[in-house]
Amino acid sequence: MKNLITDIDGILVGSATDETLKSGTTTLICEEPMVASYAVLGGAPGTRDTDLLAPDQTVERIDALTLSGGSAFGLDAAGGVQALLKEQGRGFVVGPVSVPIVPAAILFDLANGGDKNWGQKSPYWDLGWQAAEQASSDFALGSHGAGSGALIAGLKGGLGSASMRTASGITIGALVAVNALGQATMGDSPNFWAAPFEQNEEFGGLGLPVAMPHDVAQPKTKMDSMQEARGQNSNTTIGIIATDARLTKAAARRLAIMAHDGFARALWPSHTPMDGDLIFALSTGAKDLPDNDRAFIELGAHAAATMARAIARGIYEAQPRANDIFPTWQQKFGK
C-alpha cells in the first residue's frame, strides 16, 4: 500500500497547481460511478452539487469529487472536470444526454500572498481540467493542488492523504486539503495532535510530548497576531473519506459524520464559524462489511483515525514557496 486514498481500487487522484496564483485544484476520479454522501460541520462552507448527495435524492452515484482553492471562484474547477468526463462519455443518463456528476467543495486561499489578479475569467476551470487529465494512482502531498495555498495557524497547510486496511480486509483512504483556522500541533511544540494514530513515522514519528506544553489547552488560531490576522478568514478544511466497503447513501453520510472526528482529533480548534469544514464519503461497493453493528462502528472509527493522519501528513509534507506568509512545519521544526 502507498498510504494514499488511491490504495482503494477504482480511485484516481490528480492535482493542478498555479505557483503564481498560490492556489490549485485536486480532483478524485471514480473509474466507475460510486455511491457518495457528505457532511458539513463548519460554519462557512462553499459547495457545488452537494444537495443531490442527501440520502433521499435521486442520483445514487457520482463520477468525481473536486477539492479546490479559490473560495467561490474555485467552484469553476468542477466544470473543467465535468467537461473532460463528458468527452469520455461519462455521466448520469437523462434521455439522450449524459451529465457527469462532480460535487465540489472549496477553501479560501485568496489572501495568502499569491497574485489573484486573473482578469475576466478565473483560472479554476482550466485547473480542474488539468487535474482530471493528470489523475492517477500516484500524486504528491503537501503544497500541491488544493493544498498549494493552504495555511493553518502559524504554519503552511497542505494536501494530505492516508490509508489503512482493517482485519476483515476493508480498505479505507482519506484525502484532505488542510487550511484550518486552528493548528495541527500541540501548543508551541512540534508534536501533532494526530500523534496517537500515526503509522510508520509518516509525519515525523515524534509521538506525544514527554510533558504536555503549558499552553496546550489554549486555542491558537490565525487571529492571534497581526501577521496571522492577514489570513484570519482564509480558512476551511475539506476532505474525502473513501472505502471499498459496500454502503448505501445513508451509511455513507453517517461515515462522513464519523470521519469528522478526525478533524477534531487533528486540528484545535476545528468546526469553527470561520471554517467551512466538509467531508465527502465515497464507497466503491467492492466488498461486503461483516453483518453486524460493530463492523460499521469500527469502520467509522478507522475513518476518523485515517483522516487525522492525512491532516498531519498534509502539514508535515508542505514545501516552501516564494512569497509564503507562514513557514512550513519542516522549516520551523524539522531540525
Side-chain angles (χ1 to χ4, degrees):
M1 293 178 67
K2 301 176 181 179
N3 201 19
L4 298 172
I5 196 171
T6 50
D7 285 324
I8 299 171
D9 290 341
I11 288 176
L12 305 174
V13 172
S15 288
T17 305
D18 185 321
E19 298 292 0
T20 301
L21 189 68
K22 291 183 80 68
S23 187
T25 293
T26 298
T27 195
L28 181 154
I29 302 294
C30 307
E31 291 192 294
E32 298 292 336
M34 297 178 188
V35 169
S37 192
Y38 80 114
V40 176
L41 296 186
T47 61
R48 164 177 159 155
D49 277 355
T50 50
D51 281 355
L52 60 82
L53 299 179
D56 61 334
Q57 300 302 313
T58 299
V59 174
E60 284 290 326
R61 298 173 185 271
I62 57 102
D63 299 291
L65 292 167
T66 296
L67 309 178
S68 184
S71 188
F73 301 105
L75 294 174
D76 289 347
V81 177
Q82 188 178 50
L84 184 66
L85 292 176
K86 182 177 182 295
E87 283 202 350
Q88 297 173 355
R90 298 283 306 273
F92 181 75
V93 178
V94 185
V97 179
S98 293
V99 181
I101 306 299
V102 187
I106 49 86
L107 55 82
F108 190 106
D109 59 2
L110 299 181
N112 63 359
D115 182 3
K116 305 305 192 296
N117 295 314
W118 53 63
Q120 188 175 26
K121 178 186 174 184
S122 94
Y124 289 99
W125 192 99
D126 291 328
L127 287 169
W129 178 286
Q130 293 163 21
E133 272 190 320
Q134 296 173 27
S136 72
S137 60
D138 290 301
F139 59 97
L141 303 184
S143 303
H144 298 276
S148 59
L151 306 170
I152 63 171
L155 292 172
K156 286 192 71 171
L159 184 72
S161 190
S163 67
M164 62 90 64
R165 188 161 290 144
T166 70
S168 61
I170 298 296
T171 305
I172 301 166
L175 176 69
V176 62
V178 191
N179 188 56
L181 181 71
Q183 63 179 151
T185 50
M186 306 176 73
D188 290 328
S189 79
N191 303 81
F192 286 95
W193 282 106
F197 306 107
E198 186 175 14
Q199 297 184 11
N200 302 317
E201 299 186 353
E202 62 195 338
F203 41 89
L206 297 180
L208 294 170
V210 175
M212 285 295 174
H214 68 90
D215 57 348
V216 71
Q218 178 62 37
K220 178 177 172 58
T221 73
K222 292 174 185 171
M223 303 168 69
D224 289 334
S225 73
M226 289 301 293
Q227 178 195 27
E228 294 180 348
R230 179 178 172 186
Q232 66 176 309
N233 294 318
S234 306
N235 312 310
T236 294
T237 299
I238 46 179
I240 302 167
I241 195 73
T243 179
D244 54 8
R246 184 174 294 110
L247 302 178
T248 63
K249 283 176 74 177
R253 174 164 171 78
R254 179 52 54 185
L255 185 66
I257 293 169
M258 293 184 73
H260 269 285
D261 287 354
F263 281 21
R265 289 286 189 172
L267 298 166
W268 170 249
S270 62
H271 304 130
T272 77
M274 294 181 180
D275 288 286
D277 294 347
L278 174 147
I279 295 177
F280 294 108
L282 189 66
S283 166
T284 71
K287 299 177 182 177
D288 288 324
L289 270 176
D291 188 19
N292 57 68
D293 291 338
R294 181 182 180 87
F296 190 85
I297 292 169
E298 289 183 348
L299 180 71
H302 288 311
T306 306
M307 182 61 74
R309 292 167 48 217
I311 288 170
R313 290 192 80 199
I315 307 306
Y316 181 76
E317 296 287 350
Q319 301 93 25
R321 298 286 189 266
N323 302 316
D324 281 345
I325 296 175
F326 299 159
T328 67
W329 185 94
Q330 299 287 349
Q331 287 175 310
K332 188 170 182 178
F333 299 118
K335 294 181 181 180

